[in-house]
Amino acid sequence: MGEVDLNIAVAGIPINNPVWTASGCCNYGRELGTLYPLRELGAIVVKGTSLDPWEGNPGRRVAETPSGMLNAIGLQNPGVEHLLRVELPWLEQQGATVVVNVVGHTVAEYVAVIQRLAEAGPTSVAAIELNISCPNVREGGIEFGRDPSAAAEVTRAAARVTPWPLFVKLSPNVSDIIPFARAVAEAGADALTLINTLVGMDIDLASGRPVLGNTTGGLSGPAILPVALRMVWDVTHAVRIPVVGVGGIRSGDDAVRFLLAGAQAVQVGTAIFQDPWAPIRIRDGIEAYLRAHGHRSLRSLVDAVRHRLDG
Amino acid sequence: MDQNGLWRCEDAAVVSQQKSGPDWYRLTLRAPAIAPLVQAGQFVQVRVHPDGWIGSDPLLRRPLSVCTVHQDELTLIYRVVGRGSFILSQRQAGEGINLLGPLGRPFPLTAAEQCPLFLVGGGLGIPPLALAAKQTPGRRRTAILGARSKSYLAGAEEVAATGIPVLVITEDGSSGSTGRVTDLLAKHLGPGDQVWACGPDAMLMAVSALCDRTQASCWLSIERPMACGFGVCIGCTVARQRGGFAKTCVDGPVFRSTEVNLLG
């Protein structure tokens, strides 16, 4: 039994395996980095990064739900200068492949973050992931994710200034995701990340009031996997640019479902909270599946799925 | 996380589990990798289902502070408040439970202060004070423990077993004097003394205000709903007095009272 080759290139980024950490679920990698080398991750998508520091939301931010959880963090982050000065040099020392998730209140802010990164030219950065889908920040994020033309506008502006491949992370909180996928693909996105969290809420029985300080939050975890899988399936059947699947993945078998739906890589988020080694386990699970199904490489599975999609 | 040193993941074996009060349990686990590392005020993230369980509900671990450590065993005292803690309460001797820890910033154990130290606990805030008493052998300590009634003094036995003086107060007078921990603390606290407190927010705010009035220094161990417990999700925040938010899991759970605003 030979080794299974997990190398693949997604939108031109070479990665050593298809399992990435999802934005907002591993901070900047320092915590996981105390447990295993970050090179073990296909890529690390860092916390959503804004031009200036954002404080995040007051009040309660997380609540557990059946097979899932709600969060309303509000994109708390120390801003792009901190990322450049403190986090990226450290990540580079670790040999990590870094995807910077970018957030903004306005098109100009998204552009400014990318321009600032481009100007500094950190070598650890492999791609930009545009977050136009955070459900917890009203005046930015989701406003661009709810209207295909706004999504296209911010994508076009980002595509003009980024020296790195541009991923756009889409919201599932729309009636039909395909027009969004098409709009951002036409506007210059190199790849798509699907999905962000689903808007939900919980109510406290004692007080009769919403549990979360923000009233609503984003639902993540195994509860949303079928929704994410369906959206990845729909989008890979509608657009040609690569798709990275994310939503409730906690095992190699879960991840393979996304690959079979046409994703070329996956992101692991909420599963990390319960098991910080989840990305490694999932990578090994994918490898075991490929071996059991006679694939010598991940590429062979991805190509077979692509062939089916094209056929 | 890096500032707090080592953390481990370990399949701990249940040594014993007993229902010890109306709604609280005492769970002792053999955890040779984690137990020797625990400093008072730190917690472990506990998976409530036994090892090998592959379901997805409840999804998250439960953060529980460590009450006592004896060689390779640690004891946790917790209250059944919902589904997760109920499932945990079903675990029996011999079963395995996965732990992550120790996590969080402990009480300031290394400070070389000579002033009197008051360990103030309310209800389910009492257990971590047992380890705090054990790990501060050189200091002049007094424990002030309170609850609504005698049967809710969770972990008071463990504090008393350390041999330090213990003053008890209950709201209904069923054990010790009648009233709240601040009533007792006010009688004994002097300027320059130090207080380490753990309990509900309302108690912590009252203790903190009393310390301010008395010019005593005060450390609070706080509780917030948590997802990861190791700093990545930024879900368990508490407002900082100087603005912005601190993470309860890695910046705390023990904070200087002047550092946080529990109402923020």
Side-chain angles (χ1 to χ4, degrees), chain A residues 24-27 31 34-35 55-58 60-62 64 66-69 73 76 222 250 270 272-274 277, chain B residues 1 7 9 47 54-62 100 225-228 230-235 237 244-245 247:
Chain A
C25 299
C26 65
N27 214 11
E31 297 82 3
T34 65
L35 303 177
E55 274 197 0
N57 289 327
R60 182 164 170 179
R61 291 180 172 187
V62 291
E64 197 177 44
S67 291
M69 63 172 280
I73 310 300
Q76 176 177 337
R250 65 195 181 98
T270 303
I272 293 170
F273 302 161
Q274 202 253 108
W277 287 269
Chain B
M1 182 53 53
W7 51 314
C9 188
R47 209 180 273 170
I54 55 164
S56 61
D57 196 57
L59 186 67
L60 301 171
R61 292 169 183 262
R62 294 297 183 271
L100 202 57
M226 225 172 245
C228 70
F230 49 89
V232 298
C233 77
I234 324 186
T237 41
F245 297 96
K247 300 181 211 178

Side-chain angles (χ1 to χ4, degrees), chain A residues 66-260:
Chain A
S67 291
M69 63 172 280
L70 293 161
N71 87 79
I73 310 300
L75 296 171
Q76 176 177 337
N77 84 95
V80 68
E81 294 306 326
H82 173 89
L83 179 73
L84 280 167
R85 199 181 62 249
V86 179
E87 307 298 347
L88 287 176
W90 181 83
L91 283 160
E92 191 173 330
Q93 281 171 18
Q94 311 307 306
T97 299
V98 180
V99 176
V100 180
N101 183 284
V102 174
V103 299
H105 296 113
T106 61
V107 172
E109 282 186 18
Y110 281 95
V111 167
V113 173
I114 300 169
Q115 279 177 326
R116 184 68 192 96
L117 287 165
E119 205 176 282
T123 53
S124 54
V125 173
I128 298 292
E129 182 179 78
L130 219 53
N131 182 353
I132 58 166
S133 44
C134 175
N136 300 322
V137 175
R138 217 159 303 149
E139 64 276 22
I142 192 60
E143 290 307 311
F144 298 99
R146 283 203 178 130
D147 167 15
S149 61
E153 185 197 348
V154 67
T155 303
R156 200 173 296 114
R160 257 199 298 269
V161 295
T162 178
W164 298 286
L166 181 68
F167 289 63
V168 179
K169 187 169 184 179
L170 296 182
S171 171
N173 302 303
V174 295
S175 55
D176 182 2
I177 200 167
I178 293 171
F180 289 85
R182 290 206 172 108
V184 300
E186 279 162 23
D190 297 297
L192 300 169
T193 304
L194 347 152
I195 56 175
N196 209 316
T197 54
L198 289 148
V199 180
M201 73 179 293
D202 191 14
I203 294 181
D204 181 69
L205 290 177
S207 69
R209 301 188 52 78
V211 166
L212 296 175
N214 190 51
T215 304
T216 62
L219 180 66
S220 65
I224 74 165
L225 187 144
V227 178
L229 193 61
R230 190 271 289 181
M231 289 189 166
V232 167
W233 175 276
D234 282 354
V235 168
T236 56
H237 284 75
V239 301
R240 288 297 308 262
I241 59 173
V243 167
V244 178
V246 48
I249 296 171
R250 65 195 181 98
S251 69
D253 288 355
D254 289 344
V256 169
R257 288 182 169 87
F258 281 86
L259 299 174
L260 292 171

Side-chain angles (χ1 to χ4, degrees), chain B residues 175-186:
Chain B
S175 180
S177 43
T178 304
R180 297 185 165 173
V181 288
T182 37
D183 300 333
L184 274 183
L185 184 61

